C-alpha cells in the first residue's frame, strides 16, 4: 500500500512523430511609443563567414547559480541597505527604493534591480539597476529614466472616476468585450517618458477581440486628464504542438492517485480548464502515471505537452543561466490547457502567474509544445527582470526575448521529434487546412522566421523610425534577426536540416559567435542592463555592455555584437561603418559622486599601429544636472591628461553630449584610455552614460 505523502513519479505519453511543415500564428498586441534616431538602409544578401576564434568569458565575469536561499539573503541585504543606496545615488528625500531582483557574478559583483516610489506612490518608469563591486562600491547604474523625479504636485485635479471612464473608452476602442474595472484607479508617478507627472493607472478587464483575457493598462494625467499611455498586460505567444514524442514527466503521488505536480521544479502544476476562460480548472490526476495518447481528442495529451515544455524551460534557465524559476526564488508557476473554444493562441498573465494554452482551430491543434512553453514562461522571466512594457519598441523587445529563449529552449531540449531551429511554431497546421491565418483582416503567415522575419508577411527585418507603432509581434523582428545574426552569421547555411539565408540591412557580412555565447549575452543584458522602457538603441547599448563584461570590449564577440546590430540598422559597425573610422566604446554607466572623487571609465584600444592621430575624436555622453560643476579629462595610456572641459564651462545647463577633437599624436594608440570626470559641487547628480574614441 502506498504512503499518502507525495513523492516524485514519472509518466509517459505518446505523440505522433511526423511533423507538418506549416506555420504558427503571431497575434495581437498594442501599438505605441518610442523611437530612436538611427538611419535606415536596404537589406541585401551577405556571404557566409568563418566564425571567429574561440574565446572564453573573462574569469569571474559570468553569473553564478544562486539557490533560492542565497538569492533571498542577497535581497535581504539589499533591502537593509536600500536607504543608503538611495542617498548614494542622489535620490530625493521623498524617493525610496524597492528591491525587485538580484544577480551575482563569480567575482562578487552584484547587480540589484530596484523599483522606485515617490512620496509613497509607485514610479512607473523609474526602475534602475545598480552594479556593485565585491567591496560594496558602486560601479555603475542603469536607469529607465534620466529625469529627476520631481513632479509638480501629488494632489490630483482630476477625479479617479474620470480616469476610469477614459480607460473604459480606450478598451471599447480596442473592441474589448465585457470591459470592466475591478479595482479603483491607483495614483502613480508617470516617469516613462518626458517630465514625471502625477497620474492614474487604470486596469481594464474583460476579453480581447480574439477571446484572450484583457488587462489593458491606461495611464491618465491626474492634473490635466490627458491620456498619457496604454499597454496590454497579457502577453501572447505562438507555437507547435504534439510533436515531442514519448517523454518523462515530473509528477507526484498521493495514495493511489497521481497528478501533474512537478515536485522537483517548484511544484509546477498543470490544470484542465475544459473550455473555460477563468479560474484554474481541475488539476490533471489519475490512477496511473501515464498521460495522454498523442491525440488531441484525449484531454491529457495537451496537459502532458504543456507540463513537459514547462519542465524543459525550468531546466534551461536553471542549468544555462543559473535562474531557479521565473522569479529566481525556486517557486513554480502553473499551466492551464484547453482554454476557451477554438482559441488560437497562448498567453502569459502576471495576475495569475501562469501560462495558458488554447486548442487552436477545431480544438484539434493545441498550442502546447516546447518552443511555445519556452516563449510563454520567458514572458514571466522578462516581467520579473527588465519588465519591458508590452507596447512600442520595448514591447517588440519583450516579444523577441520570448522568441529568442523559446528557440534556445528547443535547442536545449535536444528532442529528436522536434529538433532545435530558428523557426517559431514550424510544425503546426494551425487552421487545420494548410492555409495562412488571417488576423484582423490582414494576411499573415503564422510562422516567425528569425533569419529573415519578413518572410511571415508582416514582421520587420530591420529597425526604422516608425517601428514603435507596429504590433509587438512584428516589431520584434529586428531583435530576432539580430540574435540569429549574432549566433550564426549572415548568408546561406543549413542547421539541423533547415536551410537559412540571412541578409543584412547594410549589405555587409556578419560573422556569428555561436548560440551559446549569444544567449548568455542576451540574458545578461535582460537581467542587468534592460529597463522597463528600453528601446532598440538601448538594447544595443545593453548588449554591448553585457558583452564587454563577459568577453572584453576588444574581443571578437564585442565587435560581432556591433556588427549584428548594424546588420539590422541599429548603430554602426565595429569599424565605425561607412568609412567613419574605427571606434572603441564603453557603454557602461558610471555614477559621478556629488562633490566627490574623480571617476574613470576605461576604453581599451587594440589592433592599432603606431601613435594616435592628431584628430582623435572623443565622443562624450554624460547625464548630469548643472554641468558647470564638472571637469572632464581624457587620460592617455601613459597618464598624460587632455582636458576636454574645465570647471565653470556650461553653467547651469544639463548634460554633455558632444564630440571633442584631441591632438594625441604623441601618444601610442594601443592601451587603456580613460575618461575621467569629477564633480566639485553639491546638490546635483549624474553619471557617465557612454563615451567613444574614434580613430579616423
Amino acid at each position: 500500500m502506498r504512503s499518502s505523502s507525495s513523492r516524485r513519479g514519472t509518466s509517459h505519453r505518446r505523440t505522433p512523430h511526423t511533423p507538418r511543415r506549416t506555420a504558427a500564428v503571431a497575434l495581437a498586441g498594442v501599438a505605441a511609443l518610442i523611437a530612436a534616431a538611427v538611419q535606415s538602409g536596404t537589406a541585401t544578401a551577405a556571404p557566409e563567414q568563418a566564425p571567429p576564434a574561440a574565446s572564453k568569458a573573462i574569469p569571474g565575469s559570468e553569473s553564478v547559480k544562486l539557490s533560492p536561499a542565497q538569492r533571498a539573503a542577497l535581497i535581504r541585504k539589499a533591502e537593509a541597505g536600500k536607504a543608503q543606496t538611495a542617498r548614494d545615488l542622489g535620490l530625493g528625500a521623498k524617493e525610496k527604493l524597492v528591491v525587485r531582483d538580484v544577480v551575482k557574478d563569480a567575482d562578487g559583483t552584484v547587480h540589484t534591480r530596484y523599483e522606485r516610489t515617490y512620496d509613497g506612490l509607485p514610479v512607473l518608469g523609474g526602475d534602475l539597476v545598480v552594479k556593485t563591486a565585491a567591496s560594496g562600491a558602486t560601479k555603475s547604474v542603469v536607469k529607465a529614466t534620466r529625469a529627476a523625479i520631481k513632479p509638480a504636485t501629488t494632489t490630483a485635479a482630476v477625479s479617479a472616476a474620470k480616469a476610469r471612464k477614459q480607460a473604459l473608452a480606450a478598451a471599447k476602442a480596442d473592441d474589448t468585450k465585457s470591459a470592466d474595472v475591478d479595482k479603483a484607479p491607483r495614483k502613480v508617478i508617470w516617469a516613462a517618458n518626458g517630465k514625471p507627472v502625477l497620474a492614474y493607472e487604470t486596469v481594464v478587464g474583460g476579453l480581447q477581440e480574439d477571446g484572450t483575457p484583457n488587462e489593458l493598462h491606461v495611464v491618465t494625467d491626474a492634473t490635466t486628464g490627458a491620456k498619457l499611455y496604454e499597454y496590454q498586460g497579457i502577453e501572447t505567444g505562438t507555437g507547435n504542438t504534439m510533436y515531442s514524442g514519448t517523454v518523462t514527466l515530473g509528477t507526484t503521488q498521493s495514495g493511489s492517485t497521481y497528478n501533474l505536480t512537478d515536485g522537483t521544479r517548484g511544484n509546477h502544476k498543470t490544470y484542465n480548464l475544459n473550455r473555460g476562460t477563468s479560474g484554474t480548472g481541475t488539476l490533471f490526476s489519475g490512477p496511473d502515471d501515464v498521460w495522454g495518447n498523442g491525440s488531441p481528442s484525449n484531454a491529457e495529451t495537451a496537459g502532458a505537452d504543456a507540463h513537459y515544455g514547462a519542465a524543459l524551460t525550468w531546466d534551461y534557465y536553471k542549468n544555462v543561466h543559473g535562474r531557479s524559476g521565473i522569479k529566481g526564488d525556486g517557486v513554480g508557476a502553473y499551466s492551464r490547457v484547453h482554454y476557451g473554444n477554438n482559441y488560437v493562441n497562448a498567453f502569459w498573465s502576471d495576475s495569475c502567474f501562469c501560462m495558458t494554452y488554447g486548442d487552436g482551430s477545431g480544438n484539434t491543434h493545441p498550442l502546447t509544445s516546447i518552443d511555445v512553453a519556452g516563449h510563454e514562461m520567458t514572458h514571466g522571466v522578462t516581467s520579473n527582470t527588465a519588465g519591458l512594457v508590452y507596447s512600442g519598441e520595448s514591447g517588440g523587445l519583450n516579444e523577441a526575448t520570448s522568441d529568442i529563449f523559446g528557440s534556445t529552449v528547443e535547442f536545449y531540449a535536444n528532442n529528436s521529434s522536434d529538433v532545435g531551429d530558428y523557426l517559431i511554431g514550424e510544425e503546426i497546421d494551425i487552421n487545420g487546412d494548410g492555409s495562412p491565418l488571417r488576423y484582423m483582416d490582414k494576411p499573415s503567415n503564422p510562422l516567425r522566421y528569425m533569419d529573415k522575419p519578413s518572410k511571415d508577411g508582416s514582421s520587420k527585418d530591420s529597425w526604422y523610425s516608425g517601428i514603435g507603432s507596429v504590433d509587438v509581434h512584428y516589431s520584434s523582428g529586428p531583435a530576432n534577426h539580430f540574435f540569429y545574426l549574432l549566433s550564426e552569421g549572415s548568408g546561406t547555411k543549413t542547421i539541423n536540416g533547415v536551410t537559412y539565408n540571412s541578409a543584412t540591412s547594410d549589405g555587409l557580412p556578419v560573422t556569428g559567435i555561436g548560440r551559446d555565447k549569444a544567449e548568455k549575452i542576451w540574458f545578461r543584458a535582460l537581467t542587468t542592463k534592460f529597463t522597463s522602457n528600453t528601446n532598440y538603441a538601448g538594447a544595443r547599448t545593453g548588449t554591448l555592455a553585457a558583452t564587454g563584461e563577459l568577453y572584453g570590449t576588444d574581443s571578437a564577440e564585442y565587435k560581432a555584437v556591433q556588427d549584428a546590430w548594424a546588420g539590422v540598422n541599429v548603430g554602426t559597425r565595429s569599424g565605425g561603418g561607412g568609412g567613419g573610422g574605427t571606434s572603441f566604446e564603453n557603454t557602461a554607466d558610471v555614477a559621478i559622486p556629488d562633490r566627490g572623487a574623480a571617476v574613470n571609465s576605461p576604453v581599451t584600444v587594440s589592433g592599432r599601429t603606431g601613435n594616435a592621430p592628431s584628430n582623435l575624436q572623443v565622443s562624450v555622453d554624460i547625464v548630469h544636472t548643472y554641468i558647470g560643476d564638472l571637469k572632464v579629462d581624457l587620460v592617455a595610456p601613459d597618464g598624460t591628461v587632455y582636458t576636454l572641459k574645465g570647471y565653470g564651462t556650461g553653467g547651469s545647463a544639463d548634460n554633455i553630449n558632444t564630440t571633442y577633437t584631441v591632438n594625441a599624436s604623441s601618444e601610442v594608440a594601443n592601451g587603456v584610455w580613460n575618461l575621467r570626470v569629477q564633480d566639485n559641487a553639491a546638490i546635483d547628480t549624474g553619471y557617465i552614460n557612454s563615451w567613444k574614441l574614434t580613430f579616423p
Side-chain angles (χ1 to χ4, degrees):
M1 184 172 180
R2 299 183 189 275
S3 166
S4 61
S5 62
S6 296
R7 66 184 179 87
R8 185 173 75 256
T10 60
S11 68
H12 305 272
R13 66 111 175 88
R14 298 174 179 84
T15 56
H17 289 258
T18 305
R20 297 185 185 94
R21 289 290 175 184
T22 53
V25 63
L27 293 186
V30 288
L33 182 65
I34 309 166
V38 185
Q39 294 189 352
S40 60
T42 303
T44 56
E48 183 174 355
Q49 301 294 302
S55 60
K56 295 182 179 179
I58 296 170
S61 66
E62 294 189 289
S63 299
V64 297
K65 298 178 182 178
L66 296 174
S67 69
Q70 290 171 325
R71 178 179 180 274
L74 286 172
I75 287 179
R76 286 195 298 271
K77 182 178 179 180
E79 286 281 359
K82 65 185 181 182
Q84 183 60 50
T85 301
R87 288 191 291 271
D88 292 343
L89 295 178
L91 302 188
K94 294 185 177 182
E95 294 180 79
K96 296 185 183 302
L97 295 174
V98 179
V99 181
R100 178 173 179 172
D101 195 23
V102 64
V103 174
K104 185 177 182 180
D105 298 341
D107 64 2
T109 299
V110 175
H111 310 262
T112 307
R113 186 177 295 274
Y114 298 92
E115 301 285 0
R116 261 191 282 186
T117 63
Y118 178 87
D119 204 15
L121 299 175
V123 180
L124 304 186
D127 47 306
L128 53 91
V129 183
V130 178
K131 176 182 176 182
T132 54
S135 64
T138 299
K139 299 174 70 174
S140 65
V141 182
V142 179
K143 294 182 179 180
T145 178
R146 300 176 181 179
I149 309 300
K150 296 179 180 179
T153 182
T154 56
T155 302
V158 172
S159 69
K162 184 173 181 178
R164 180 180 184 277
K165 183 178 179 180
Q166 182 184 83
L168 287 169
K172 183 178 180 180
D174 288 341
D175 296 320
T176 300
K177 303 172 185 176
S178 303
D180 65 331
V181 178
D182 291 336
K183 297 180 180 179
R186 67 168 182 164
K187 286 173 63 175
V188 299
I189 304 299
W190 174 250
N193 62 311
K195 184 178 180 180
V197 297
L198 181 69
Y200 289 107
E201 181 193 32
T202 310
V203 182
V204 184
L207 295 174
Q208 297 179 48
E209 186 180 18
D210 67 343
T212 303
N214 189 63
E215 286 183 14
L216 182 67
H217 294 243
V218 179
V219 181
T220 303
D221 192 311
T223 57
T224 68
K227 188 174 79 170
L228 298 173
Y229 197 64
E230 69 174 71
Y231 70 94
Q232 182 57 246
I234 295 291
E235 296 162 5
T236 55
T238 62
N240 58 342
T241 67
M242 303 188 304
Y243 295 100
S244 295
T246 300
V247 298
T248 299
L249 300 179
T251 63
T252 60
Q253 180 186 357
S254 178
S256 60
T257 301
Y258 296 86
N259 59 70
L260 286 185
T261 299
D262 194 333
T264 64
R265 297 177 178 89
N267 286 322
H268 180 101
K269 300 176 186 295
T270 301
Y271 294 90
N272 180 6
L273 278 173
N274 196 28
R275 308 279 182 261
T277 57
S278 63
T280 57
T282 304
L283 180 66
F284 279 101
S285 61
D288 58 29
D289 208 11
V290 179
W291 307 91
N293 61 5
S295 169
S297 62
N298 185 309
E300 288 184 352
T301 298
D305 271 324
H307 204 67
Y308 175 61
L312 286 172
T313 307
W314 176 287
D315 290 350
Y316 168 78
Y317 276 110
K318 183 176 182 180
N319 296 332
V320 176
H321 300 299
R323 191 173 186 87
S324 182
I326 287 173
K327 290 185 176 181
D329 59 0
V331 177
Y334 64 89
S335 298
R336 306 184 300 177
V337 299
H338 303 307
Y339 173 90
N341 189 34
N342 293 308
Y343 179 67
V344 190
N345 214 336
F347 59 89
W348 163 266
S349 173
D350 278 337
S351 62
C352 70
F353 199 65
C354 69
M355 290 81 71
T356 304
Y357 305 90
D359 285 330
S361 177
N363 292 319
T364 57
H365 298 81
L367 287 84
T368 50
S369 69
I370 296 172
D371 56 359
V372 74
H375 179 109
E376 299 309 335
M377 194 179 287
T378 295
H379 276 311
V381 174
T382 298
S383 179
N384 286 279
T385 54
L388 292 162
V389 174
Y390 206 55
S391 182
E393 291 193 24
S394 60
L397 290 167
N398 186 320
E399 190 65 20
T401 297
S402 283
D403 284 346
I404 287 167
F405 291 125
S407 70
T408 58
V409 167
E410 191 175 79
F411 276 105
Y412 172 85
N414 196 28
N415 186 299
S416 60
S417 297
D418 184 10
V419 297
D421 52 48
Y422 294 97
L423 310 175
I424 306 299
E426 71 281 1
E427 303 205 1
I428 183 171
D429 178 5
I430 209 163
N431 284 339
D433 60 4
S435 66
L437 176 73
R438 298 186 70 85
Y439 176 67
M440 296 178 67
D441 298 322
K442 294 184 291 187
S444 172
N445 188 321
L447 171 64
R448 290 211 281 275
Y449 306 79
M450 298 180 78
D451 65 319
K452 186 174 177 57
S454 62
K455 286 166 68 175
D456 69 8
S458 298
S459 293
K460 310 304 176 185
D461 291 332
S462 302
W463 183 91
Y464 64 96
S465 61
I467 201 168
S469 64
V470 175
D471 180 288
V472 296
H473 295 88
Y474 308 138
S475 64
S476 61
N480 280 338
H481 192 188
F482 159 81
F483 185 80
Y484 175 85
L485 288 171
L486 183 62
S487 298
E488 307 294 347
S490 56
T492 302
K493 59 200 66 189
T494 300
I495 304 165
N496 281 353
V498 179
T499 299
Y500 305 93
N501 188 3
S502 192
T504 59
S505 63
D506 58 6
L508 299 174
V510 171
T511 301
I513 61 174
R515 187 178 57 260
D516 290 348
K517 291 179 179 178
E519 64 188 331
K520 288 186 177 181
I521 289 169
W522 192 268
F523 185 78
R524 188 176 186 84
L526 176 74
T527 54
T528 70
K529 313 301 177 191
F530 292 177
T531 61
S532 58
N533 60 0
T534 294
N535 58 12
Y536 270 103
R540 178 183 184 271
T541 298
T543 50
L544 282 171
T547 308
E549 291 172 357
L550 288 171
Y551 303 106
T553 57
D554 60 348
S555 64
E557 290 80 4
Y558 193 87
K559 294 175 183 177
V561 171
Q562 291 176 302
D563 292 346
W565 277 122
V568 298
N569 200 32
V570 181
T572 59
R573 289 261 170 176
S574 57
T582 301
S583 296
F584 301 84
E585 185 176 15
N586 189 335
T587 60
D589 289 359
V590 178
I592 303 170
D594 210 18
R595 190 185 279 175
V599 294
N600 292 282
S601 177
V603 161
T604 300
V605 175
S606 62
R608 308 291 299 180
T609 57
N611 285 5
S614 60
N615 60 341
L616 180 64
Q617 305 297 299
V618 187
S619 301
V620 176
D621 182 0
I622 294 175
V623 179
H624 199 281
T625 54
Y626 210 100
I627 62 174
D629 295 344
L630 296 182
K631 184 173 185 289
V632 183
D633 297 321
L634 175 69
V635 183
D638 67 357
T640 302
V641 177
Y642 297 85
T643 297
L644 306 178
K645 177 198 168 301
Y647 291 123
T649 59
S652 61
D654 293 343
N655 306 333
I656 301 172
N657 197 331
T658 190
T659 298
Y660 302 93
T661 300
V662 174
N663 182 353
S665 56
S666 63
E667 306 294 337
V668 174
N670 290 336
V672 178
W673 297 71
N674 276 284
L675 187 73
R676 186 172 68 189
V677 183
Q678 186 166 16
D679 182 358
N680 72 345
I683 320 178
D684 49 13
T685 60
Y687 58 96
I688 302 171
N689 187 45
S690 66
W691 75 286
K692 177 172 62 177
L693 287 176
T694 301
F695 292 74

